[in-house]
Amino acid sequence: MENETNVTAVKNKLWFAVAAVALILISIALVSIISFSNTQQKLAKVTQQYQPKMLSAMQLTTHFYHSLSVLGNYMVEQDEYNIVLYSDKVNDIDSTLDELIELTEKNNEPQDATQLELIRTLVNEIKSYNRDMLKLAADVKRNMPAVGIAADWMEPQGVEMTHLLSDIKAEAKISSQYEFARSLDNLLYNWAMVISQVRSYLAFRNDAAVDDIYLYLEGVKQHRNEVGAYLKTHQPELLELVEEFNDGLTNYESYLTQVIDVHGSSQWRADSSLMREQITPTLRKLTLELDELVTTQKLRIDKSNQELSAQIATAEKTIRISMIVALIVTLVVFLLIIRTRGLMSLVKLQQLQKAKIQHAAQHDSLTGIPNRAYFNERLLEIVASR
């Protein structure tokens, strides 16, 4: 009886151990599933949000610098192919910016959303400035104010004054006046050099040309006075032409002062001023914002990687401990199974011995026929059952 009780207790312990092993295995599975799910979510954020944002922001910066480079080439070369390249770059800028905005709208990142609003504003500003640059490229006079003044006023004035000098030379009687002829030729030469040096200065912005312009202007005035003095004495009817030349020279010098002041300043090219005062500062702001956006995504990626490493390490540690516990419980179960089998064998042996003793007590040892003890026991059972 005592052995049977022990067997029952061992069986109960065995079932408890099996249940514990099953619970541990289920716990390991749940921990693995939860860890895997969290890992997948963090990896999805890194691969579907942080990395694409970082790459798009870097691409947007690159597209802008490429577009400005192409635009600069067009301003110098006036090659229409650069306009095609620029249009392609603008399309790249728009599509990349759309990708950034779409990525932010899909994910709840208020900081990124606010920053992208500023980035979009800066992008639109630069694109507007670039359109102004293209308009300036098509309008040289507006782009280079000094060239505009020279083309609209100084060149026509210079041509008119050259014609006046030619008229004086054609109508003056200079065959016997060597000194007058030399003064008139020197006046024509110095005036031609003034016009030539002005053109040189406008083309190359060479400061030395300015000195030459004023030097030749002094020659013009000197020889003009000599020509005027001669005509006043010998041919006063031509003094009207000299007066017209003087008036023209006064106008020309006023325009010349404007041209030199404008062309010698930092505002000599409107596109350069636009680039220096508007595009470059705005592009610098845009670059800083994009760099900050890239840095933010890098920090998020680094933080996610650290969290993933910690999460994986914790999961591995939990699973390892759970497996050790499961192994110990399994070993206990194995020992309980061995003990249960031993007890069950002992109980069966005792039951068999008990049956043999009872059979020997109730049967004749020689004939095997039930004896009086068996008869009495059966009789009592029959009576009890009635």
Side-chain angles (χ1 to χ4, degrees):
M1 188 68 180
E2 182 181 354
N3 287 332
E4 291 181 358
T5 302
N6 290 336
V7 170
T8 302
V10 171
K11 282 184 177 181
N12 291 335
K13 291 179 181 178
L14 180 62
W15 283 114
F16 176 79
V18 171
V21 171
L23 182 61
I24 292 172
L25 293 176
I26 292 172
S27 300
I28 293 174
L30 288 175
V31 169
S32 301
I33 292 171
I34 293 171
S35 298
F36 180 75
S37 177
N38 291 335
T39 302
Q40 285 292 98
Q41 290 177 4
K42 291 186 181 296
L43 285 175
K45 270 196 169 184
V46 170
T47 58
Q48 297 176 16
Q49 181 181 353
Y50 301 152
Q51 287 180 349
K53 274 188 184 178
M54 181 177 67
L55 293 176
S56 295
M58 294 170 67
Q59 287 175 350
L60 189 59
T61 304
T62 302
H63 291 327
F64 258 109
Y65 280 101
H66 282 175
S67 70
L68 291 178
S69 175
V70 172
L71 192 60
N73 290 337
Y74 175 73
M75 299 298 289
V76 174
E77 302 171 0
Q78 296 291 309
D79 185 357
E80 292 299 323
Y81 179 66
N82 286 317
I83 294 297
V84 176
L85 293 178
Y86 175 72
S87 298
D88 291 340
K89 285 300 171 185
V90 170
N91 291 333
D92 290 339
I93 289 170
D94 290 339
S95 61
T96 305
L97 182 58
D98 289 341
E99 288 176 6
L100 270 173
I101 293 173
E102 184 179 354
L103 282 169
T104 303
E105 289 175 348
K106 286 182 178 178
N107 302 279
N108 185 22
E109 298 289 351
Q111 177 186 351
D112 291 356
T114 302
Q115 194 168 33
L116 273 173
E117 284 298 320
L118 177 57
I119 288 172
R120 178 159 51 184
T121 300
L122 295 172
V123 167
N124 290 334
E125 284 183 16
I126 295 176
K127 286 165 63 178
S128 176
Y129 294 143
N130 288 348
R131 288 192 292 270
D132 292 340
M133 288 276 282
L134 291 174
K135 291 178 182 177
L136 289 172
D139 188 350
V140 176
K141 293 180 180 180
R142 179 167 168 251
N143 189 31
M144 292 187 248
V147 173
I149 295 171
D152 291 339
W153 301 101
M154 294 179 68
E155 283 292 327
Q157 185 74 65
V159 171
E160 182 179 346
M161 292 168 67
T162 301
H163 288 161
L164 287 171
L165 294 177
S166 298
D167 291 343
I168 293 172
K169 186 174 183 179
E171 296 184 21
K173 298 174 182 179
I174 59 175
S175 58
S176 60
Q177 296 295 327
Y178 173 75
E179 289 298 327
F180 173 68
R182 187 176 66 176
S183 295
L184 187 56
D185 286 340
N186 285 337
L187 176 57
L188 283 164
Y189 170 77
N190 279 275
W191 179 242
M193 290 305 298
V194 168
I195 294 174
S196 175
Q197 290 302 314
V198 168
R199 291 171 180 170
S200 174
Y201 178 63
L202 290 173
F204 303 107
R205 296 184 77 232
N206 183 3
D207 291 338
V210 176
D211 296 333
D212 291 339
I213 289 170
Y214 285 113
L215 178 64
Y216 286 118
L217 269 176
E218 287 300 318
V220 167
K221 293 175 181 178
Q222 176 187 343
H223 296 298
R224 173 204 61 185
N225 293 335
E226 292 173 358
V227 169
Y230 174 82
L231 292 177
K232 184 177 182 180
T233 304
H234 297 87
Q235 292 181 271
E237 70 274 10
L238 296 180
L239 285 175
E240 185 179 351
L241 295 177
V242 176
E243 290 300 324
E244 288 184 31
F245 181 84
N246 288 338
D247 292 340
L249 185 60
T250 301
N251 289 333
Y252 192 90
E253 283 189 282
S254 67
Y255 292 131
L256 179 62
T257 301
Q258 295 179 48
V259 165
I260 291 175
D261 288 344
V262 172
H263 213 55
S265 71
S266 60
Q267 307 297 321
W268 75 282
R269 282 187 65 142
D271 57 357
S272 297
S273 299
L274 181 62
M275 177 66 75
R276 181 176 60 256
E277 297 171 6
Q278 301 293 340
I279 294 178
T280 300
T282 307
L283 183 61
R284 190 177 296 116
K285 291 179 184 177
L286 175 62
T287 303
L288 290 174
E289 292 298 329
L290 290 171
D291 286 346
E292 185 178 340
L293 184 61
V294 169
T295 301
T296 300
Q297 307 315 311
K298 285 182 178 178
L299 291 175
R300 287 173 178 167
I301 291 172
D302 292 341
K303 182 179 179 182
S304 295
N305 289 338
Q306 292 173 1
E307 290 176 353
L308 283 172
S309 298
Q311 194 174 59
I312 291 171
T314 301
E316 288 179 346
K317 183 178 179 180
T318 303
I319 292 172
R320 186 163 52 249
I321 293 173
S322 300
M323 291 182 68
I324 292 173
V325 173
L327 183 62
I328 293 172
V329 173
T330 302
L331 181 61
V332 170
V333 170
F334 179 73
L335 293 175
L336 287 174
I337 290 173
I338 293 175
R339 183 182 177 189
T340 302
R341 286 184 176 178
L343 289 173
M344 289 181 69
S345 298
L346 181 60
V347 169
K348 288 181 179 180
L349 179 60
Q350 288 178 347
Q351 289 176 347
L352 183 60
Q353 290 176 347
K354 182 179 178 181
K356 286 183 177 180
I357 292 171
Q358 187 175 3
H359 185 273
Q362 294 178 349
H363 293 79
D364 183 72
S365 58
L366 182 62
T367 62
I369 298 173
N371 57 18
R372 187 174 182 82
Y374 179 81
F375 175 78
N376 291 336
E377 184 177 347
R378 291 294 298 163
L379 181 61
L380 291 174
E381 288 178 358
I382 294 171
V383 173
S385 62
R386 293 187 179 189

